[in-house]
Amino acid sequence: LATGPRQNNSIFYEIRTYDIKPAKMKEFLEMVNKNIHFRTAHSDLVGFWYTELGEMNKVFHIWKYDNFAHRTAVRHALANDKDWQGKFISLALPLIEKQHNEVAYLVPWCQLGKPPKEGGVYEWVTFQMKPGGPALWGEAFRGAINAHINTGYTKLIGVFHTEYGLLNTVHVLWWNESPDHRAAGRHSAHEDARVVAAVRNSVRFLDSQQNALLIPLQCSPLK
């Protein structure tokens, strides 16, 4: 009850979320920045972030694949990559409390974007929609997203709809110049009649939502 319109190709994104032991976050991030090149030698990293606000001691990273055969080949290669296994995996696993992954597609009306400059912050918003998929709520959800874009205070990076993991989930990644810039923009949006109307139309299909303020790692392509 979730599958719906997506990009007109086989490209998908694997969204990985790790819970890191609180006392080990600094060590984990340093290890990623130092050794992620062993991993990116095999497939494209979209971005790598840690949470500043929201659920703490989490990291988010997104990987791009051409199709499922591509992912299978990459996972096989990684299992046999002695540098990746010995210099990262064996050292990182004791620092991780929990791992979670999802497969998601970009919705058909969204292209993966880039921030206008480096040095900002990202907001990761997860919407749990009612069963039925984009055929039920897609147009209303798009209207709410576009209403926020039209205010001009924030930059849309991507809208991802899950195919594996918790279904009927949509993740929206935004970029803002700073937390204060985001706060001021949100305040203005709440008083914008266009935004209020679009959100009221979309929220009919919403079960829950959650957000986090993310800081990109030095190694992240999206900074």
Side-chain angles (χ1 to χ4, degrees):
L1 294 177
T3 300
R6 59 177 175 84
Q7 297 283 317
N8 189 29
N9 54 48
S10 58
I11 292 172
F12 67 84
Y13 298 84
E14 183 174 6
I15 301 166
R16 286 186 164 248
T17 307
Y18 295 171
D19 289 4
I20 309 300
K21 294 179 180 178
K24 299 296 184 180
M25 177 62 86
K26 183 175 183 292
E27 181 181 349
F28 181 84
L29 297 181
E30 289 175 348
M31 192 180 304
V32 172
N33 278 319
K34 180 181 179 181
N35 292 318
I36 196 66
H37 63 282
F38 295 122
R39 176 63 183 83
T40 55
H42 295 279
S43 66
D44 292 339
L45 173 65
V46 174
F48 207 122
W49 305 265
Y50 66 89
T51 54
E52 179 70 12
L53 296 172
E55 288 192 59
M56 300 299 294
N57 301 302
K58 284 183 177 289
V59 296
F60 291 80
H61 40 127
I62 303 175
W63 300 87
K64 179 182 178 181
Y65 292 102
D66 296 334
N67 49 46
F68 287 97
H70 179 211
R71 181 184 184 275
T72 297
V74 168
R75 302 302 297 174
H76 178 76
L78 288 169
N80 291 282
D81 186 325
K82 294 181 179 179
D83 283 330
W84 175 243
Q85 294 295 328
K87 297 179 181 179
F88 185 84
I89 292 297
S90 62
L91 301 175
L93 285 180
L95 313 182
I96 300 172
E97 289 189 329
K98 186 170 64 173
Q99 296 174 297
H100 176 70
N101 76 332
E102 297 168 288
V103 165
Y105 294 101
L106 283 172
V107 296
W109 44 268
C110 172
Q111 299 297 320
L112 191 64
K114 292 184 178 180
K117 60 182 179 181
E118 293 185 4
V121 296
Y122 291 79
E123 183 178 10
W124 182 257
V125 189
T126 297
F127 298 89
Q128 188 59 42
M129 309 302 292
K130 294 184 182 299
L136 175 67
W137 43 257
E139 286 305 312
F141 188 85
R142 181 180 182 178
I145 295 296
N146 285 336
H148 283 87
I149 293 173
N150 292 338
T151 63
Y153 81 88
T154 188
K155 166 70 174 176
L156 179 66
I157 302 300
V159 180
F160 305 89
H161 176 222
T162 57
E163 184 75 8
Y164 287 96
L166 185 60
L167 296 182
N168 295 293
T169 301
V170 183
H171 300 291
V172 183
L173 183 62
W174 301 95
W175 178 91
N176 289 281
E177 290 185 14
S178 69
D180 285 322
H181 184 263
R182 184 260 182 198
R186 291 285 290 178
H187 180 75
S188 297
H190 290 161
E191 297 179 345
D192 188 315
R194 298 167 301 173
V195 175
V196 172
V199 170
R200 282 178 176 170
N201 187 39
S202 177
V203 78
R204 297 178 294 131
F205 307 106
L206 179 66
D207 279 339
S208 66
Q209 67 184 83
Q210 185 175 16
N211 72 339
L213 185 72
L214 305 181
I215 306 298
L217 272 66
Q218 181 181 353
C219 66
S220 177
L222 286 177
K223 291 188 174 65

